Amino acid sequence: ARLLYETLDTARADARSAYVAPLRDQIERLGRLVFGPSLSLHLSEELAIVDRTLDNVTVPFAQLSGGTREQLGILARLACAILVSKQGGAPVILDDTLGYTDDARLERMGAAIAQAGRHCQVIVLTCMPRRYAAVGGAHVIALERSQS
């Protein structure tokens, strides 16, 4: 029983690490467009972002600003979609996100969204289209205002 448990535990750990590294690498690849080349992340076995390191300064995820946490969350969703796009994928739907993002970072997030859009479908719903002006190559569909 002990050998079986240890064998299954090792196999589970190997499987988790097989998911963690590619996801972390993809989030970091997109994230470097937003945060700069020194970005590195630590992900838990549950694939949650534990902390972010920039210029050799590590900050736990919970202590980052709300805007930064939102941006990293969006980048993680985009990274997941990119990774599964080779197997048919799934779209990423962003609904009025990036409300706490300054103009400079909006531009860089636009570049990251555009990069992800080359590999997977990204749908952005917003009443503030200016936030996404930096998403190059986007196909924009403006909806009519309801008369009711």
Side-chain angles (χ1 to χ4, degrees), residues 113-131:
I113 293 168
Q115 175 68 28
R118 292 184 186 103
H119 304 280
C120 62
Q121 183 180 30
V122 181
I123 299 168
V124 177
L125 305 172
T126 186
C127 60
M128 304 288 295
R130 184 188 75 74
R131 283 187 198 154

Side-chain angles (χ1 to χ4, degrees), residues 11 48 64 72:
L64 295 168
L72 287 169

Side-chain angles (χ1 to χ4, degrees), residues 8-61:
L8 290 175
D9 192 49
T10 300
R12 181 178 50 209
D14 291 346
R16 282 187 177 154
S17 67
Y19 291 117
V20 171
L23 179 60
R24 183 196 62 240
D25 293 346
Q26 192 61 247
I27 299 170
E28 286 178 349
R29 196 172 356 269
L30 291 172
R32 288 184 180 122
L33 296 170
V34 178
F35 298 102
S38 71
L39 173 71
S40 67
L41 300 169
H42 175 239
L43 269 57
S44 70
E45 288 185 0
E46 290 77 30
L47 306 178
I49 299 172
V50 175
D51 57 46
R52 179 199 72 178
T53 302
L54 281 178
D55 301 322
N56 295 318
V57 176
T58 301
V59 178
F61 184 81

